[in-house]
Amino acid sequence: MPGHVQHAMSTVVLTIGPAHTLRQAARLMSARRVGAAVVLDPDTSGLGILTERDILDSLGAGQDPDRERAHDHTTNDVVFATPDWTLEAAAEAMTRGGFRHLIVLDEREAVGILSVRDIVRTWSDRRVPAAPEPTEEIAV
């Protein structure tokens, strides 16, 4: 059913370690064209998330992206979604929590990331009729 997380999420999951610098994280996120990275701490087996906003906040505070580590900017109290969540439930969780990305877990494994943009794109595709094909005008 197209109204579920599994149909809207990005399956490109960038995973980084807590010791990555913010510059390294930003380069990887930019190269993969994603707005968030899953931060996996092997010492705690915990998952966190580092978003473009976290990097922007650090830069705005004048911090050095070559010295700042992902660990210090990671959100660890993450709300996770499952592939069978409805997009409505995901949107409600994001609105209630004030965040724009959800890590999608299936059997405790990160299988995707859902962003607000993914939800909007999916809803727009469902609700907006396709534009008519342009017609070719022939000058006489």
Side-chain angles (χ1 to χ4, degrees):
M1 181 176 272
H4 288 84
V5 167
Q6 64 190 341
H7 297 106
M9 70 183 190
S10 170
T11 56
V12 176
V13 180
L14 172 61
T15 303
I16 64 172
H20 276 80
T21 66
L22 292 187
R23 183 176 310 277
Q24 290 170 324
R27 281 186 181 142
L28 292 167
M29 289 164 65
S30 179
R32 300 247 175 89
R33 302 184 52 81
V34 296
V38 173
V39 181
L40 175 60
D41 189 340
D43 294 334
T44 64
S45 297
L47 292 178
I49 191 166
L50 179 74
T51 68
E52 56 205 355
R53 175 73 56 183
D54 298 324
I55 295 170
L56 182 64
D57 287 346
S58 175
L59 292 174
Q63 297 174 332
D64 182 351
D66 293 312
R67 297 181 58 121
E68 292 297 312
R69 302 292 171 188
H71 170 74
D72 297 320
H73 300 275
T74 298
T75 300
N76 292 311
D77 58 340
V78 179
V79 175
F80 298 101
T82 63
D84 60 344
W85 272 27
T86 65
L87 292 179
E88 289 80 6
E92 287 176 21
M94 289 177 177
T95 301
R96 195 173 37 256
F99 49 83
R100 298 178 299 152
H101 296 88
L102 280 169
I103 299 173
V104 182
L105 294 182
D106 190 13
E107 300 292 324
R108 302 183 59 127
E109 179 184 343
V111 295
I113 292 189
L114 181 73
S115 70
V116 169
R117 179 178 291 153
D118 297 326
I119 294 172
V120 170
R121 179 182 34 80
T122 301
W123 283 347
S124 294
D125 289 347
R126 286 191 340 205
R127 292 187 172 100
V128 177
E133 290 293 320
T135 58
E136 187 176 320
E137 292 186 25
I138 301 174
V140 193

